[in-house]
mmCIF file of all heavy atoms in Angstrom:
data_model
loop_
_atom_site.group_PDB
_atom_site.id
_atom_site.type_symbol
_atom_site.label_atom_id
_atom_site.label_comp_id
_atom_site.label_asym_id
_atom_site.label_seq_id
_atom_site.Cartn_x
_atom_site.Cartn_y
_atom_site.Cartn_z
ATOM 1 N N MET A 1 0.974 -8.315 -17.284
ATOM 2 C CA MET A 1 0.540 -7.531 -16.163
ATOM 3 C C MET A 1 -0.120 -8.213 -15.089
ATOM 4 O O MET A 1 -0.859 -9.218 -15.382
ATOM 5 C CB MET A 1 -0.385 -6.359 -16.646
ATOM 6 C CG MET A 1 -0.432 -5.148 -15.784
ATOM 7 S SD MET A 1 -1.528 -3.920 -16.378
ATOM 8 C CE MET A 1 -3.071 -4.354 -15.631
ATOM 9 N N ALA A 2 0.194 -7.955 -13.848
ATOM 10 C CA ALA A 2 -0.378 -8.715 -12.683
ATOM 11 C C ALA A 2 -1.902 -8.470 -12.607
ATOM 12 O O ALA A 2 -2.239 -7.247 -12.781
ATOM 13 C CB ALA A 2 0.228 -8.334 -11.385
ATOM 14 N N VAL A 3 -2.710 -9.542 -12.377
ATOM 15 C CA VAL A 3 -4.101 -9.327 -12.341
ATOM 16 C C VAL A 3 -4.501 -9.986 -10.953
ATOM 17 O O VAL A 3 -4.018 -10.974 -10.550
ATOM 18 C CB VAL A 3 -4.767 -10.047 -13.478
ATOM 19 C CG1 VAL A 3 -6.316 -10.254 -13.273
ATOM 20 C CG2 VAL A 3 -4.479 -9.437 -14.735
ATOM 21 N N PRO A 4 -5.445 -9.354 -10.181
ATOM 22 C CA PRO A 4 -5.832 -9.809 -8.864
ATOM 23 C C PRO A 4 -6.498 -11.213 -9.110
ATOM 24 O O PRO A 4 -7.326 -11.311 -9.983
ATOM 25 C CB PRO A 4 -6.789 -8.843 -8.380
ATOM 26 C CG PRO A 4 -6.770 -7.578 -9.225
ATOM 27 C CD PRO A 4 -6.064 -8.064 -10.415
ATOM 28 N N LYS A 5 -6.210 -12.118 -8.237
ATOM 29 C CA LYS A 5 -6.791 -13.537 -8.339
ATOM 30 C C LYS A 5 -8.291 -13.560 -7.800
ATOM 31 O O LYS A 5 -8.980 -14.283 -8.440
ATOM 32 C CB LYS A 5 -5.923 -14.448 -7.545
ATOM 33 C CG LYS A 5 -6.191 -15.952 -7.930
ATOM 34 C CD LYS A 5 -5.156 -16.782 -7.337
ATOM 35 C CE LYS A 5 -5.321 -18.198 -7.849
ATOM 36 N NZ LYS A 5 -4.151 -19.088 -7.422
ATOM 37 N N ARG A 6 -8.540 -12.844 -6.791
ATOM 38 C CA ARG A 6 -9.810 -12.750 -6.293
ATOM 39 C C ARG A 6 -10.385 -11.454 -6.093
ATOM 40 O O ARG A 6 -9.698 -10.476 -5.905
ATOM 41 C CB ARG A 6 -9.693 -13.429 -4.786
ATOM 42 C CG ARG A 6 -9.212 -14.942 -4.849
ATOM 43 C CD ARG A 6 -9.937 -15.767 -3.794
ATOM 44 N NE ARG A 6 -9.267 -17.051 -3.810
ATOM 45 C CZ ARG A 6 -9.445 -18.010 -4.576
ATOM 46 N NH1 ARG A 6 -10.346 -17.875 -5.612
ATOM 47 N NH2 ARG A 6 -8.756 -19.187 -4.550
ATOM 48 N N ARG A 7 -11.764 -11.372 -6.151
ATOM 49 C CA ARG A 7 -12.406 -10.201 -5.917
ATOM 50 C C ARG A 7 -12.237 -9.584 -4.467
ATOM 51 O O ARG A 7 -12.211 -10.466 -3.632
ATOM 52 C CB ARG A 7 -13.910 -10.488 -6.054
ATOM 53 C CG ARG A 7 -14.872 -9.169 -5.942
ATOM 54 C CD ARG A 7 -16.319 -9.774 -5.918
ATOM 55 N NE ARG A 7 -17.157 -8.696 -5.337
ATOM 56 C CZ ARG A 7 -17.916 -8.112 -6.258
ATOM 57 N NH1 ARG A 7 -17.956 -8.236 -7.473
ATOM 58 N NH2 ARG A 7 -18.654 -6.922 -5.725
ATOM 59 N N MET A 8 -11.907 -8.421 -4.339
ATOM 60 C CA MET A 8 -11.729 -7.797 -2.938
ATOM 61 C C MET A 8 -12.949 -7.696 -2.184
ATOM 62 O O MET A 8 -14.045 -7.273 -2.886
ATOM 63 C CB MET A 8 -11.041 -6.402 -3.088
ATOM 64 C CG MET A 8 -10.504 -6.012 -1.748
ATOM 65 S SD MET A 8 -9.995 -4.256 -1.848
ATOM 66 C CE MET A 8 -8.249 -4.396 -1.283
ATOM 67 N N SER A 9 -12.941 -8.238 -0.896
ATOM 68 C CA SER A 9 -14.213 -8.146 -0.106
ATOM 69 C C SER A 9 -14.731 -6.736 0.006
ATOM 70 O O SER A 9 -14.110 -5.739 0.007
ATOM 71 C CB SER A 9 -13.982 -8.865 1.200
ATOM 72 O OG SER A 9 -13.153 -8.008 1.972
ATOM 73 N N ARG A 10 -16.061 -6.778 0.145
ATOM 74 C CA ARG A 10 -16.586 -5.415 0.447
ATOM 75 C C ARG A 10 -16.169 -4.783 1.704
ATOM 76 O O ARG A 10 -15.898 -3.590 1.665
ATOM 77 C CB ARG A 10 -18.148 -5.728 0.631
ATOM 78 C CG ARG A 10 -18.980 -4.317 0.583
ATOM 79 C CD ARG A 10 -20.463 -4.585 0.392
ATOM 80 N NE ARG A 10 -21.000 -5.899 0.902
ATOM 81 C CZ ARG A 10 -22.281 -6.112 0.878
ATOM 82 N NH1 ARG A 10 -23.089 -5.236 0.537
ATOM 83 N NH2 ARG A 10 -22.809 -7.297 1.136
ATOM 84 N N SER A 11 -15.798 -5.529 2.658
ATOM 85 C CA SER A 11 -15.262 -5.009 3.944
ATOM 86 C C SER A 11 -13.877 -4.356 3.633
ATOM 87 O O SER A 11 -13.625 -3.234 4.067
ATOM 88 C CB SER A 11 -15.007 -6.078 4.879
ATOM 89 O OG SER A 11 -14.291 -5.777 5.907
ATOM 90 N N ASN A 12 -13.075 -5.049 2.791
ATOM 91 C CA ASN A 12 -11.651 -4.526 2.538
ATOM 92 C C ASN A 12 -11.808 -3.175 1.703
ATOM 93 O O ASN A 12 -11.107 -2.170 1.861
ATOM 94 C CB ASN A 12 -10.891 -5.555 1.777
ATOM 95 C CG ASN A 12 -10.140 -6.456 2.696
ATOM 96 O OD1 ASN A 12 -9.886 -6.042 3.937
ATOM 97 N ND2 ASN A 12 -9.685 -7.491 2.180
ATOM 98 N N THR A 13 -12.743 -3.244 0.725
ATOM 99 C CA THR A 13 -13.006 -2.124 -0.079
ATOM 100 C C THR A 13 -13.415 -0.974 0.715
ATOM 101 O O THR A 13 -12.824 0.154 0.634
ATOM 102 C CB THR A 13 -14.062 -2.410 -1.088
ATOM 103 O OG1 THR A 13 -13.605 -3.454 -1.897
ATOM 104 C CG2 THR A 13 -14.383 -1.134 -2.075
ATOM 105 N N ARG A 14 -14.349 -1.138 1.645
ATOM 106 C CA ARG A 14 -14.876 -0.083 2.432
ATOM 107 C C ARG A 14 -13.870 0.467 3.401
ATOM 108 O O ARG A 14 -13.725 1.601 3.678
ATOM 109 C CB ARG A 14 -16.085 -0.525 3.182
ATOM 110 C CG ARG A 14 -17.212 -0.664 2.205
ATOM 111 C CD ARG A 14 -18.552 -1.120 2.822
ATOM 112 N NE ARG A 14 -19.599 -1.072 1.866
ATOM 113 C CZ ARG A 14 -20.817 -1.625 2.073
ATOM 114 N NH1 ARG A 14 -21.133 -2.130 3.275
ATOM 115 N NH2 ARG A 14 -21.640 -1.632 1.163
ATOM 116 N N SER A 15 -13.063 -0.461 4.035
ATOM 117 C CA SER A 15 -11.998 -0.047 4.988
ATOM 118 C C SER A 15 -10.915 0.797 4.261
ATOM 119 O O SER A 15 -10.483 1.755 4.794
ATOM 120 C CB SER A 15 -11.419 -1.096 5.828
ATOM 121 O OG SER A 15 -10.860 -2.068 4.990
ATOM 122 N N ARG A 16 -10.685 0.446 3.078
ATOM 123 C CA ARG A 16 -9.606 1.249 2.224
ATOM 124 C C ARG A 16 -10.265 2.719 1.979
ATOM 125 O O ARG A 16 -9.639 3.695 2.153
ATOM 126 C CB ARG A 16 -9.353 0.585 0.952
ATOM 127 C CG ARG A 16 -8.449 1.448 0.011
ATOM 128 C CD ARG A 16 -7.844 0.706 -1.235
ATOM 129 N NE ARG A 16 -8.682 -0.274 -1.669
ATOM 130 C CZ ARG A 16 -9.777 -0.134 -2.562
ATOM 131 N NH1 ARG A 16 -10.101 1.087 -2.835
ATOM 132 N NH2 ARG A 16 -10.419 -1.270 -2.783
ATOM 133 N N ARG A 17 -11.509 2.605 1.551
ATOM 134 C CA ARG A 17 -12.135 4.027 1.165
ATOM 135 C C ARG A 17 -12.410 4.863 2.431
ATOM 136 O O ARG A 17 -12.434 6.015 2.344
ATOM 137 C CB ARG A 17 -13.561 3.727 0.430
ATOM 138 C CG ARG A 17 -13.138 3.165 -0.939
ATOM 139 C CD ARG A 17 -14.498 2.957 -1.728
ATOM 140 N NE ARG A 17 -14.079 2.398 -3.059
ATOM 141 C CZ ARG A 17 -14.986 1.755 -3.768
ATOM 142 N NH1 ARG A 17 -16.395 1.704 -3.325
ATOM 143 N NH2 ARG A 17 -14.735 1.179 -4.988
ATOM 144 N N SER A 18 -12.437 4.276 3.616
ATOM 145 C CA SER A 18 -12.663 5.061 4.753
ATOM 146 C C SER A 18 -11.475 5.846 5.072
ATOM 147 O O SER A 18 -11.543 6.770 5.966
ATOM 148 C CB SER A 18 -13.093 4.045 5.878
ATOM 149 O OG SER A 18 -12.010 3.463 6.362
ATOM 150 N N GLN A 19 -10.326 5.627 4.489
ATOM 151 C CA GLN A 19 -9.149 6.215 4.799
ATOM 152 C C GLN A 19 -8.902 7.588 4.052
ATOM 153 O O GLN A 19 -8.113 8.403 4.222
ATOM 154 C CB GLN A 19 -7.879 5.428 4.624
ATOM 155 C CG GLN A 19 -7.827 4.246 5.546
ATOM 156 C CD GLN A 19 -8.030 4.525 6.930
ATOM 157 O OE1 GLN A 19 -7.244 5.404 7.477
ATOM 158 N NE2 GLN A 19 -8.966 3.978 7.713
ATOM 159 N N TRP A 20 -9.890 7.780 3.061
ATOM 160 C CA TRP A 20 -9.923 9.070 2.198
ATOM 161 C C TRP A 20 -10.348 10.180 3.105
ATOM 162 O O TRP A 20 -11.562 10.116 3.750
ATOM 163 C CB TRP A 20 -10.861 8.925 1.049
ATOM 164 C CG TRP A 20 -10.203 8.350 -0.118
ATOM 165 C CD1 TRP A 20 -10.127 6.987 -0.343
ATOM 166 C CD2 TRP A 20 -9.572 9.059 -1.253
ATOM 167 N NE1 TRP A 20 -9.392 6.812 -1.630
ATOM 168 C CE2 TRP A 20 -9.212 8.121 -2.124
ATOM 169 C CE3 TRP A 20 -9.469 10.445 -1.568
ATOM 170 C CZ2 TRP A 20 -8.527 8.464 -3.346
ATOM 171 C CZ3 TRP A 20 -8.894 10.670 -2.781
ATOM 172 C CH2 TRP A 20 -8.403 9.806 -3.729
ATOM 173 N N LYS A 21 -9.591 11.224 3.297
ATOM 174 C CA LYS A 21 -9.894 12.277 4.103
ATOM 175 C C LYS A 21 -9.649 13.532 3.550
ATOM 176 O O LYS A 21 -8.700 13.652 2.679
ATOM 177 C CB LYS A 21 -9.165 12.086 5.403
ATOM 178 C CG LYS A 21 -9.491 11.060 6.401
ATOM 179 C CD LYS A 21 -8.575 10.972 7.629
ATOM 180 C CE LYS A 21 -8.820 9.673 8.388
ATOM 181 N NZ LYS A 21 -7.980 8.602 7.820
ATOM 182 N N THR A 22 -10.387 14.559 3.844
ATOM 183 C CA THR A 22 -10.037 15.955 3.342
ATOM 184 C C THR A 22 -9.018 16.543 4.306
ATOM 185 O O THR A 22 -8.891 16.170 5.525
ATOM 186 C CB THR A 22 -11.200 16.815 3.179
ATOM 187 O OG1 THR A 22 -11.850 16.855 4.504
ATOM 188 C CG2 THR A 22 -12.201 16.240 2.270
ATOM 189 N N SER A 23 -8.280 17.592 3.792
ATOM 190 C CA SER A 23 -7.272 18.277 4.701
ATOM 191 C C SER A 23 -7.482 19.706 4.413
ATOM 192 O O SER A 23 -7.998 20.076 3.351
ATOM 193 C CB SER A 23 -5.818 17.854 4.347
ATOM 194 O OG SER A 23 -5.595 18.157 2.994
ATOM 195 N N ALA A 24 -7.251 20.472 5.549
ATOM 196 C CA ALA A 24 -7.366 21.970 5.449
ATOM 197 C C ALA A 24 -6.390 22.548 4.391
ATOM 198 O O ALA A 24 -5.290 22.059 4.261
ATOM 199 C CB ALA A 24 -7.137 22.581 6.710
ATOM 200 N N PRO A 25 -6.832 23.540 3.494
ATOM 201 C CA PRO A 25 -5.867 24.117 2.550
ATOM 202 C C PRO A 25 -4.739 24.853 3.231
ATOM 203 O O PRO A 25 -4.989 25.405 4.237
ATOM 204 C CB PRO A 25 -6.758 24.827 1.672
ATOM 205 C CG PRO A 25 -7.889 25.257 2.576
ATOM 206 C CD PRO A 25 -8.105 24.033 3.343
ATOM 207 N N THR A 26 -3.690 24.747 2.585
ATOM 208 C CA THR A 26 -2.423 25.621 3.119
ATOM 209 C C THR A 26 -2.673 27.036 2.804
ATOM 210 O O THR A 26 -2.886 27.371 1.643
ATOM 211 C CB THR A 26 -1.217 24.975 2.571
ATOM 212 O OG1 THR A 26 -1.057 23.702 2.705
ATOM 213 C CG2 THR A 26 0.082 25.753 3.193
ATOM 214 N N LEU A 27 -2.733 27.932 3.719
ATOM 215 C CA LEU A 27 -2.812 29.385 3.546
ATOM 216 C C LEU A 27 -1.536 30.048 4.057
ATOM 217 O O LEU A 27 -1.177 29.787 5.154
ATOM 218 C CB LEU A 27 -4.095 29.850 4.203
ATOM 219 C CG LEU A 27 -5.501 29.404 3.521
ATOM 220 C CD1 LEU A 27 -6.576 29.916 4.330
ATOM 221 C CD2 LEU A 27 -5.529 29.684 2.040
ATOM 222 N N ALA A 28 -1.067 30.965 3.368
ATOM 223 C CA ALA A 28 0.131 31.897 3.846
ATOM 224 C C ALA A 28 -0.362 33.270 3.744
ATOM 225 O O ALA A 28 -1.186 33.646 2.766
ATOM 226 C CB ALA A 28 1.282 31.557 3.017
ATOM 227 N N PRO A 29 0.137 34.085 4.547
ATOM 228 C CA PRO A 29 -0.284 35.622 4.434
ATOM 229 C C PRO A 29 0.311 36.192 3.346
ATOM 230 O O PRO A 29 1.492 35.912 2.860
ATOM 231 C CB PRO A 29 0.284 36.235 5.769
ATOM 232 C CG PRO A 29 1.242 35.236 6.284
ATOM 233 C CD PRO A 29 0.915 33.943 5.838
ATOM 234 N N CYS A 30 -0.360 37.127 2.554
ATOM 235 C CA CYS A 30 0.048 37.827 1.321
ATOM 236 C C CYS A 30 1.298 38.590 1.764
ATOM 237 O O CYS A 30 1.506 39.119 2.837
ATOM 238 C CB CYS A 30 -1.073 38.787 0.871
ATOM 239 S SG CYS A 30 -0.652 39.874 -0.481
ATOM 240 N N SER A 31 2.300 38.597 0.779
ATOM 241 C CA SER A 31 3.540 39.281 1.066
ATOM 242 C C SER A 31 3.408 40.838 0.865
ATOM 243 O O SER A 31 4.418 41.588 1.291
ATOM 244 C CB SER A 31 4.728 38.770 0.111
ATOM 245 O OG SER A 31 4.211 39.001 -1.200
ATOM 246 N N ASN A 32 2.418 41.319 0.377
ATOM 247 C CA ASN A 32 2.123 42.796 0.373
ATOM 248 C C ASN A 32 1.870 43.216 1.713
ATOM 249 O O ASN A 32 0.972 42.767 2.411
ATOM 250 C CB ASN A 32 0.899 42.954 -0.612
ATOM 251 C CG ASN A 32 0.453 44.472 -0.614
ATOM 252 O OD1 ASN A 32 1.147 45.261 -0.116
ATOM 253 N ND2 ASN A 32 -0.571 44.752 -1.445
ATOM 254 N N ARG A 33 2.761 44.191 2.223
ATOM 255 C CA ARG A 33 2.596 44.531 3.632
ATOM 256 C C ARG A 33 1.344 45.325 3.995
ATOM 257 O O ARG A 33 0.653 45.104 5.029
ATOM 258 C CB ARG A 33 3.729 45.569 3.884
ATOM 259 C CG ARG A 33 5.162 45.000 4.037
ATOM 260 C CD ARG A 33 6.184 45.775 4.812
ATOM 261 N NE ARG A 33 7.441 45.156 4.851
ATOM 262 C CZ ARG A 33 7.731 44.183 5.549
ATOM 263 N NH1 ARG A 33 6.788 43.612 6.350
ATOM 264 N NH2 ARG A 33 8.844 43.583 5.566
ATOM 265 N N ALA A 34 0.640 46.030 3.004
ATOM 266 C CA ALA A 34 -0.546 46.531 3.233
ATOM 267 C C ALA A 34 -1.718 45.544 3.349
ATOM 268 O O ALA A 34 -2.838 45.950 3.625
ATOM 269 C CB ALA A 34 -0.886 47.649 2.185
ATOM 270 N N CYS A 35 -1.542 44.315 2.734
ATOM 271 C CA CYS A 35 -2.605 43.443 2.666
ATOM 272 C C CYS A 35 -2.578 42.317 3.604
ATOM 273 O O CYS A 35 -3.550 42.329 4.524
ATOM 274 C CB CYS A 35 -2.576 42.796 1.190
ATOM 275 S SG CYS A 35 -3.714 41.559 0.783
ATOM 276 N N ARG A 36 -1.649 41.541 3.657
ATOM 277 C CA ARG A 36 -1.477 40.405 4.708
ATOM 278 C C ARG A 36 -2.807 39.447 4.616
ATOM 279 O O ARG A 36 -2.914 38.798 5.663
ATOM 280 C CB ARG A 36 -1.493 40.960 6.081
ATOM 281 C CG ARG A 36 -0.011 41.765 6.299
ATOM 282 C CD ARG A 36 0.908 40.596 6.589
ATOM 283 N NE ARG A 36 2.347 41.066 6.479
ATOM 284 C CZ ARG A 36 3.406 40.462 6.013
ATOM 285 N NH1 ARG A 36 3.135 39.168 5.725
ATOM 286 N NH2 ARG A 36 4.613 40.932 5.921
ATOM 287 N N GLU A 37 -3.458 39.427 3.580
ATOM 288 C CA GLU A 37 -4.593 38.511 3.445
ATOM 289 C C GLU A 37 -4.098 37.085 3.429
ATOM 290 O O GLU A 37 -3.021 36.918 2.778
ATOM 291 C CB GLU A 37 -5.549 38.812 2.251
ATOM 292 C CG GLU A 37 -6.638 38.131 2.129
ATOM 293 C CD GLU A 37 -7.953 38.784 2.886
ATOM 294 O OE1 GLU A 37 -7.619 39.905 3.527
ATOM 295 O OE2 GLU A 37 -8.969 38.340 2.657
ATOM 296 N N LEU A 38 -4.731 36.134 3.954
ATOM 297 C CA LEU A 38 -4.395 34.641 3.873
ATOM 298 C C LEU A 38 -4.856 34.177 2.454
ATOM 299 O O LEU A 38 -5.871 34.469 2.003
ATOM 300 C CB LEU A 38 -5.040 33.849 4.883
ATOM 301 C CG LEU A 38 -4.476 33.929 6.420
ATOM 302 C CD1 LEU A 38 -5.210 33.191 7.254
ATOM 303 C CD2 LEU A 38 -3.105 33.625 6.393
ATOM 304 N N LYS A 39 -3.876 33.571 1.875
ATOM 305 C CA LYS A 39 -4.080 33.130 0.422
ATOM 306 C C LYS A 39 -3.154 31.882 0.213
ATOM 307 O O LYS A 39 -2.195 31.524 0.955
ATOM 308 C CB LYS A 39 -3.669 34.098 -0.589
ATOM 309 C CG LYS A 39 -2.160 34.494 -0.538
ATOM 310 C CD LYS A 39 -1.693 35.274 -1.687
ATOM 311 C CE LYS A 39 -0.296 35.422 -1.864
ATOM 312 N NZ LYS A 39 0.392 34.034 -2.189
ATOM 313 N N PRO A 40 -3.622 30.994 -0.821
ATOM 314 C CA PRO A 40 -2.692 29.850 -1.022
ATOM 315 C C PRO A 40 -1.345 30.230 -1.578
ATOM 316 O O PRO A 40 -1.277 31.298 -2.268
ATOM 317 C CB PRO A 40 -3.514 29.096 -2.203
ATOM 318 C CG PRO A 40 -4.784 29.705 -2.209
ATOM 319 C CD PRO A 40 -4.798 31.071 -1.674
ATOM 320 N N PRO A 41 -0.309 29.558 -1.290
ATOM 321 C CA PRO A 41 1.045 29.897 -1.770
ATOM 322 C C PRO A 41 1.151 29.762 -3.122
ATOM 323 O O PRO A 41 0.360 28.733 -3.759
ATOM 324 C CB PRO A 41 2.025 28.983 -0.976
ATOM 325 C CG PRO A 41 1.143 27.942 -0.377
ATOM 326 C CD PRO A 41 -0.284 28.306 -0.249
ATOM 327 N N HIS A 42 1.973 30.506 -3.880
ATOM 328 C CA HIS A 42 2.291 30.363 -5.275
ATOM 329 C C HIS A 42 1.119 30.873 -6.208
ATOM 330 O O HIS A 42 0.904 30.296 -7.258
ATOM 331 C CB HIS A 42 2.799 29.050 -5.754
ATOM 332 C CG HIS A 42 3.886 28.450 -4.937
ATOM 333 N ND1 HIS A 42 5.102 28.995 -4.785
ATOM 334 C CD2 HIS A 42 3.771 27.535 -4.047
ATOM 335 C CE1 HIS A 42 5.853 28.333 -4.058
ATOM 336 N NE2 HIS A 42 5.128 27.514 -3.419
ATOM 337 N N VAL A 43 0.221 31.687 -5.557
ATOM 338 C CA VAL A 43 -1.057 32.142 -6.260
ATOM 339 C C VAL A 43 -1.131 33.682 -6.168
ATOM 340 O O VAL A 43 -0.796 34.158 -5.065
ATOM 341 C CB VAL A 43 -2.244 31.398 -5.694
ATOM 342 C CG1 VAL A 43 -3.584 32.055 -5.954
ATOM 343 C CG2 VAL A 43 -2.241 30.009 -6.085
ATOM 344 N N ALA A 44 -1.566 34.358 -7.187
ATOM 345 C CA ALA A 44 -1.827 35.863 -7.064
ATOM 346 C C ALA A 44 -2.803 36.033 -6.085
ATOM 347 O O ALA A 44 -3.747 35.318 -5.819
ATOM 348 C CB ALA A 44 -2.196 36.420 -8.341
ATOM 349 N N CYS A 45 -2.577 37.075 -5.201
ATOM 350 C CA CYS A 45 -3.512 37.400 -4.096
ATOM 351 C C CYS A 45 -4.862 37.777 -4.570
ATOM 352 O O CYS A 45 -5.041 38.671 -5.427
ATOM 353 C CB CYS A 45 -2.859 38.546 -3.100
ATOM 354 S SG CYS A 45 -3.983 39.050 -1.846
ATOM 355 N N PRO A 46 -5.888 37.130 -4.129
ATOM 356 C CA PRO A 46 -7.228 37.545 -4.688
ATOM 357 C C PRO A 46 -7.767 38.795 -4.073
ATOM 358 O O PRO A 46 -8.633 39.421 -4.522
ATOM 359 C CB PRO A 46 -8.169 36.355 -4.050
ATOM 360 C CG PRO A 46 -7.466 35.684 -2.986
ATOM 361 C CD PRO A 46 -5.912 35.991 -3.257
ATOM 362 N N ASN A 47 -7.060 39.295 -3.007
ATOM 363 C CA ASN A 47 -7.501 40.577 -2.329
ATOM 364 C C ASN A 47 -6.821 41.785 -3.051
ATOM 365 O O ASN A 47 -7.637 42.815 -3.449
ATOM 366 C CB ASN A 47 -7.148 40.575 -0.919
ATOM 367 C CG ASN A 47 -7.651 41.672 -0.097
ATOM 368 O OD1 ASN A 47 -8.827 41.995 -0.213
ATOM 369 N ND2 ASN A 47 -6.801 42.386 0.553
ATOM 370 N N CYS A 48 -5.535 41.826 -3.199
ATOM 371 C CA CYS A 48 -4.792 43.098 -3.737
ATOM 372 C C CYS A 48 -4.376 42.767 -5.181
ATOM 373 O O CYS A 48 -3.928 43.712 -5.689
ATOM 374 C CB CYS A 48 -3.645 43.325 -2.848
ATOM 375 S SG CYS A 48 -2.310 42.216 -2.711
ATOM 376 N N GLY A 49 -4.324 41.557 -5.675
ATOM 377 C CA GLY A 49 -4.051 41.187 -7.013
ATOM 378 C C GLY A 49 -2.543 41.212 -7.254
ATOM 379 O O GLY A 49 -2.031 41.424 -8.420
ATOM 380 N N GLN A 50 -1.664 41.084 -6.247
ATOM 381 C CA GLN A 50 -0.258 41.232 -6.291
ATOM 382 C C GLN A 50 0.351 39.776 -6.390
ATOM 383 O O GLN A 50 -0.251 38.856 -5.589
ATOM 384 C CB GLN A 50 0.424 42.042 -5.211
ATOM 385 C CG GLN A 50 0.224 43.527 -5.519
ATOM 386 C CD GLN A 50 1.176 44.368 -4.768
ATOM 387 O OE1 GLN A 50 2.152 43.875 -4.186
ATOM 388 N NE2 GLN A 50 0.968 45.616 -4.709
ATOM 389 N N TYR A 51 1.536 39.542 -7.114
ATOM 390 C CA TYR A 51 2.236 38.274 -7.036
ATOM 391 C C TYR A 51 3.705 38.769 -7.038
ATOM 392 O O TYR A 51 4.100 39.486 -7.887
ATOM 393 C CB TYR A 51 1.895 37.303 -8.063
ATOM 394 C CG TYR A 51 2.529 36.023 -7.903
ATOM 395 C CD1 TYR A 51 2.027 35.108 -6.938
ATOM 396 C CD2 TYR A 51 3.662 35.651 -8.618
ATOM 397 C CE1 TYR A 51 2.729 33.836 -6.737
ATOM 398 C CE2 TYR A 51 4.334 34.438 -8.340
ATOM 399 C CZ TYR A 51 3.769 33.632 -7.440
ATOM 400 O OH TYR A 51 4.467 32.362 -7.217
ATOM 401 N N ALA A 52 4.487 38.206 -6.048
ATOM 402 C CA ALA A 52 5.923 38.407 -5.911
ATOM 403 C C ALA A 52 6.222 40.008 -5.948
ATOM 404 O O ALA A 52 7.102 40.430 -6.701
ATOM 405 C CB ALA A 52 6.773 37.702 -7.055
ATOM 406 N N GLY A 53 5.303 40.721 -5.236
ATOM 407 C CA GLY A 53 5.722 42.110 -5.005
ATOM 408 C C GLY A 53 5.175 43.079 -6.250
ATOM 409 O O GLY A 53 5.568 44.162 -6.168
ATOM 410 N N ARG A 54 4.621 42.513 -7.359
ATOM 411 C CA ARG A 54 4.126 43.473 -8.400
ATOM 412 C C ARG A 54 2.635 43.023 -8.755
ATOM 413 O O ARG A 54 2.243 41.906 -8.468
ATOM 414 C CB ARG A 54 4.982 43.304 -9.490
ATOM 415 C CG ARG A 54 5.025 42.076 -10.320
ATOM 416 C CD ARG A 54 6.151 41.913 -11.223
ATOM 417 N NE ARG A 54 6.217 40.500 -11.632
ATOM 418 C CZ ARG A 54 5.517 40.081 -12.748
ATOM 419 N NH1 ARG A 54 4.766 40.894 -13.300
ATOM 420 N NH2 ARG A 54 5.576 38.727 -13.025
ATOM 421 N N ALA A 55 1.876 44.074 -9.216
ATOM 422 C CA ALA A 55 0.353 43.878 -9.515
ATOM 423 C C ALA A 55 0.367 43.059 -10.838
ATOM 424 O O ALA A 55 0.925 43.383 -11.842
ATOM 425 C CB ALA A 55 -0.197 45.195 -9.698
ATOM 426 N N VAL A 56 -0.351 41.935 -10.707
ATOM 427 C CA VAL A 56 -0.478 41.007 -11.897
ATOM 428 C C VAL A 56 -1.966 40.926 -12.244
ATOM 429 O O VAL A 56 -2.298 40.594 -13.376
ATOM 430 C CB VAL A 56 0.077 39.647 -11.666
ATOM 431 C CG1 VAL A 56 1.647 39.728 -11.623
ATOM 432 C CG2 VAL A 56 -0.428 39.012 -10.391
ATOM 433 N N VAL A 57 -2.823 41.294 -11.374
ATOM 434 C CA VAL A 57 -4.412 41.174 -11.626
ATOM 435 C C VAL A 57 -4.879 42.473 -11.091
ATOM 436 O O VAL A 57 -4.449 43.153 -10.092
ATOM 437 C CB VAL A 57 -4.935 40.043 -10.822
ATOM 438 C CG1 VAL A 57 -6.401 39.884 -11.194
ATOM 439 C CG2 VAL A 57 -4.274 38.737 -11.199
ATOM 440 N N ALA A 58 -5.725 43.124 -11.723
ATOM 441 C CA ALA A 58 -6.531 44.253 -11.271
ATOM 442 C C ALA A 58 -7.160 43.973 -9.815
ATOM 443 O O ALA A 58 -7.897 42.918 -9.824
ATOM 444 C CB ALA A 58 -7.503 44.861 -12.332
ATOM 445 N N PRO A 59 -6.942 44.862 -8.832
ATOM 446 C CA PRO A 59 -7.612 44.549 -7.582
ATOM 447 C C PRO A 59 -9.163 44.699 -7.757
ATOM 448 O O PRO A 59 -9.664 45.497 -8.482
ATOM 449 C CB PRO A 59 -7.125 45.596 -6.730
ATOM 450 C CG PRO A 59 -5.985 46.305 -7.353
ATOM 451 C CD PRO A 59 -6.036 45.977 -8.848
ATOM 452 N N ALA A 60 -9.851 43.757 -7.008
ATOM 453 C CA ALA A 60 -11.379 43.664 -7.055
ATOM 454 C C ALA A 60 -11.865 44.864 -6.336
ATOM 455 O O ALA A 60 -11.377 45.377 -5.308
ATOM 456 C CB ALA A 60 -11.767 42.501 -6.413
HETATM 457 ZN ZN1 ZN B 101 -2.584 40.684 -0.967
#
């Protein structure tokens, strides 16, 4: 297995780590017409408890 020959400089380490960024979560409106709450895709709606048009979780 390849092994690095030299220790990476603190500057290089820091400049690589400075590229770590957070991104805004993707949100899509709930497919339930009565709800339309923004929620992550492929997740049961936390507001109405529906997924793919049927109730899967008891609404809060
Ligand atoms: Zn909903």
